[in-house]
Amino acid sequence: MGSSSLNLEDVSSDSLTTELLRRPPGSGKGTQSPMIKDEYCLCHLATGDMLRAAVAAKTPLGVKAKEAMDKGELVSDELVVGIIDEAMKKPSCRKGFVLDGFPRTVGQAQMLDEMLEKQGVKIDKVLDFAIDDVILEERITGRWIHAASGRSYHTKFAPPKVPGIDDVTGEPLIQRKDDTVVVLRSRLEAFHKQTKPVIDYYWKKGIVAKLHAEKSPKEVKDEVQKVLS
């Protein structure tokens, strides 16, 4: 990968192809991915967004995806890989991409590799946002929001002046269902079960970079830059 001082015009797209992977909720992936996208002139491919865009644009693949969703079925891996394939051909992806939300299984990873190989492209780096579940629990279960305005607080890192009360309106704060301990633990259990084999798959290829996601955003950003330089 080239550093931010490198002339990206002189670098081939396959050397700038990056995969963002392993992102438990609260790990900071959402903070770092825009920086990577902007700093390295890459396009950001979030599978959920691409799927919705393909459906809205009524592309052939989007029509098939909508048919599946209307039936209450999951969109097949083949369709998702096809939509990624389409998106990669956009001019904005000429220098490479950050892939977000895919692959989640080894089968998906293998299918993605096969598609990329046909284009003469490969995954250059997998970023593993490694963080202890105890820290994630503290980060996420401490979140509270003011529903009407969207103002957010954290019981430890950014507490309201009065516990449970919005600073501006005096109205009660709420906690999103996904931010409760029970739901978080269930999500993390599913995440680890699903993702570890994918990490192992890429680890054998020698392209996984383990990041210390418990550190501050600035420190994690520095780690990312070192990995991608």
Side-chain angles (χ1 to χ4, degrees), residues 12-222:
S12 63
S13 62
D14 59 339
S15 68
L16 283 175
T17 302
T18 301
E19 163 115 3
L20 265 182
L21 187 68
R22 196 184 190 280
R23 50 182 195 93
S27 66
K29 187 276 306 177
T31 301
Q32 300 298 327
S33 55
M35 178 279 294
I36 296 170
K37 168 185 173 291
D38 294 339
E39 191 150 327
Y40 296 94
C41 302
L42 308 177
C43 68
H44 180 223
L45 301 182
T47 48
D49 293 343
M50 287 189 292
L51 208 51
R52 285 186 286 273
V55 169
K58 297 182 179 179
T59 67
L61 290 174
V63 170
K64 289 182 181 179
K66 188 175 187 305
E67 287 173 357
M69 290 187 282
D70 287 346
K71 293 176 185 175
E73 300 172 353
L74 292 174
V75 177
S76 71
D77 292 345
E78 288 83 2
L79 272 178
V80 176
V81 170
I83 288 171
I84 293 171
D85 190 10
E86 278 186 349
M88 282 174 53
K89 293 169 182 171
K90 294 178 180 177
S92 59
C93 294
R94 186 169 59 88
K95 298 190 182 302
F97 60 88
V98 177
L99 188 58
D100 178 359
F102 193 89
R104 295 175 183 270
T105 67
V106 171
Q108 291 174 349
Q110 291 171 332
M111 196 175 298
L112 177 68
D113 279 350
E114 288 170 7
M115 181 271 285
L116 294 176
E117 188 176 356
K118 290 176 183 176
Q119 296 194 28
V121 177
K122 63 180 177 62
I123 295 298
D124 182 62
K125 192 67 69 175
V126 174
L127 303 184
D128 179 3
F129 285 76
I131 185 169
D132 192 274
D133 285 0
V134 174
I135 298 174
L136 286 177
E137 194 169 305
E138 179 183 59
R139 284 185 181 181
I140 292 176
T141 60
R143 294 174 178 170
W144 289 78
I145 63 170
H146 178 242
S149 67
R151 274 186 294 277
S152 61
Y153 299 87
H154 193 282
T155 52
K156 180 177 179 179
F157 305 116
K161 294 173 183 174
V162 179
I165 301 297
D166 178 48
D167 288 352
V168 179
T169 65
E171 295 171 348
L173 302 175
I174 63 168
Q175 188 173 44
R176 296 183 305 179
K177 185 177 71 173
D178 282 355
D179 291 345
T180 61
V181 173
V182 174
V183 173
L184 175 63
R185 287 178 179 172
S186 175
R187 289 174 69 197
L188 286 174
E189 182 181 356
F191 172 82
H192 292 309
K193 182 178 179 181
Q194 191 179 56
T195 305
K196 188 180 184 305
V198 183
I199 287 293
D200 291 344
Y201 172 81
Y202 285 117
W203 194 270
K204 290 173 184 174
K205 293 176 176 285
I207 56 175
V208 175
K210 188 173 182 178
L211 305 174
H212 299 87
E214 79 283 355
K215 294 183 178 180
S216 70
K218 170 67 169 62
E219 289 175 306
V220 176
K221 179 181 177 181
D222 289 343

